[in-house]
Amino acid sequence: MPDACVKIAYFRASELLFQDVIGGNLFTQVDRRMDLLDTEYMLGLISYNQVYRFETFSVPSDAMREAVINAIIHCDYANATPIQIRVYNDRLSISNAAHVSPEWAAERLAEKLSSQPYNPRIAYAFFLAGLIEAMERGVRRIVDLCREAGNPTPAWRFEAGGNGLQVRFPYSAPSLAARSAALGNAAGHHSGA
């Protein structure tokens, strides 16, 4: 997919603060997106278990990974709109130009639905590479991973005519409080307070 790319951007309300554009082959895009999300865009809250440090992100990394791969497999690459990942202080959203089966409804996505990837060859390549299972459980897995982490259930929104599919990951109340405290402390520290 030579024209395939993804834009990752960080917003404060509607103001764009910074962004990256990732190109290259689709396998590299998955790795690069996850690396950027984990290291530059998502705030990892640090905790310790004895001597080991753990980072807890506002959205579970495995759920983000699953959503990123779903966006790649179901994207309409003939549409000039790149996959977009938007990071805000209270949520993360992933959107792509996608054609969704008419039997699908946003509120039913977590149920067992037949897998109909828009790009079956890409899906098969990702299956062979071990990135997906091809068992129609990606969306259910996203919901379960968020629930296990104490996060709210993500919300999906379809735009008519194949113009898009968006998944929105709201951050949990404890994550929002910790982010606010961490960002407030960091701002105070940098301003000389």
Side-chain angles (χ1 to χ4, degrees):
M1 296 291 163
D3 294 329
C5 71
V6 68
K7 288 185 177 180
I8 302 177
Y10 194 93
F11 290 85
R12 181 175 48 224
S14 63
E15 180 184 0
L16 174 65
L17 298 181
F18 54 92
Q19 73 175 355
D20 286 286
V21 178
I22 302 167
N25 73 64
L26 298 179
F27 295 112
T28 300
Q29 285 187 30
V30 171
D31 291 339
R32 183 73 179 123
R33 285 179 221 184
M34 293 310 300
D35 181 50
L36 278 171
L37 284 169
D38 285 348
T39 61
E40 296 183 25
Y41 284 85
M42 299 300 292
L43 180 63
L45 301 173
I46 296 173
S47 62
Y48 293 90
N49 182 354
Q50 297 178 353
V51 297
Y52 297 101
R53 182 187 68 169
F54 293 94
E55 290 182 83
T56 304
F57 295 99
S58 298
V59 175
S61 290
D62 286 343
M64 280 191 297
R65 177 190 164 280
E66 192 76 41
V68 163
I69 290 173
N70 280 349
I72 289 171
I73 291 171
H74 294 286
C75 188
D76 177 1
Y77 291 102
N79 186 316
T81 305
I83 294 170
Q84 296 183 16
I85 301 173
R86 296 171 176 246
V87 181
Y88 297 89
N89 285 336
D90 63 345
R91 70 189 180 281
L92 173 132
S93 70
I94 300 173
S95 60
N96 65 313
H99 293 274
V100 180
S101 171
E103 73 182 48
W104 289 10
E107 60 277 358
R108 292 189 56 229
L109 270 180
E111 297 174 13
K112 183 166 174 24
L113 297 171
S114 62
S115 179
Q116 300 171 352
Y118 187 71
N119 300 297
R121 289 183 177 168
I122 293 172
Y124 187 62
F126 275 58
F127 169 74
L128 291 176
L131 293 170
I132 64 171
E133 297 170 350
M135 297 298 293
E136 299 96 26
R137 58 182 219 114
V139 172
R140 179 78 247 163
R141 183 167 148 68
I142 290 170
V143 170
D144 290 345
L145 288 164
C146 288
R147 183 177 297 128
E148 289 168 12
N151 285 45
T153 301
W156 283 264
R157 188 181 80 202
F158 301 127
E159 294 180 19
N163 290 326
L165 170 64
Q166 179 188 78
V167 58
R168 178 182 280 195
F169 292 91
Y171 302 158
S172 67
S175 177
L176 289 171
R179 287 175 67 84
S180 178
L183 292 173
N185 289 340
H189 176 71
H190 289 299
S191 67

